[in-house]
């Protein structure tokens, strides 16, 4: 599959409750929720701001996976 943020080749982990886990060499590992995935075709994410936010999430909470969900999504 391709990364939802940068469109580069990425790995997909086994589906998680409520979303998908993507491991991208550039964007790192993140969980993207089903709700956001449903909105993606009509509402693209702001790639650079979203990556900054994932980075911020990892810094503030290193133990949990960075998430793209309805609360954290940054739309273009
Ligand atoms: Zn990526």
């Amino acid at each position: 599959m391709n990364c939802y943020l940068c469109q580069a080749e990425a790995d997909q982990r086994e589906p998680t409750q409520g979303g998908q886990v993507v491991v991208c060499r550039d964007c790192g590992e993140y969980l993207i929720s089903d709700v956001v995935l449903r909105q993606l075709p009509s509402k693209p994410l702001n790639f650079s701001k979203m990556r900054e936010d994932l980075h911020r999430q990892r810094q503030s909470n290193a133990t949990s996976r960075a998430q793209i969900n309805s609360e954290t999504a940054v739309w273009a």
Side-chain angles (χ1 to χ4, degrees):
M1 54 101 46
N2 293 326
C3 174
Y4 292 108
L5 290 176
C6 68
Q7 311 304 326
E9 183 73 31
D11 291 326
Q12 194 173 341
R13 294 276 166 85
E14 66 283 357
T16 311
Q17 182 84 27
Q20 285 181 23
V21 176
V22 178
V23 184
C24 172
R25 203 178 50 194
D26 284 335
C27 308
E29 181 174 329
Y30 60 89
L31 190 154
I32 184 162
S33 79
D34 288 335
V35 176
V36 172
L37 283 173
R38 273 199 298 272
Q39 291 174 297
L40 269 184
S42 57
K43 227 164 99 171
L45 289 163
N46 183 318
F47 168 52
S48 57
K49 288 211 173 117
M50 199 63 247
R51 278 232 295 215
E52 277 172 30
D53 190 73
L54 290 176
H55 187 63
R56 193 184 49 74
Q57 288 185 44
R58 290 188 189 103
Q59 284 188 321
S60 63
N61 190 347
T63 54
S64 73
R65 197 177 265 141
Q67 298 206 21
I68 303 177
N69 55 37
S70 325
E71 275 176 36
T72 63
V74 185
W75 303 106

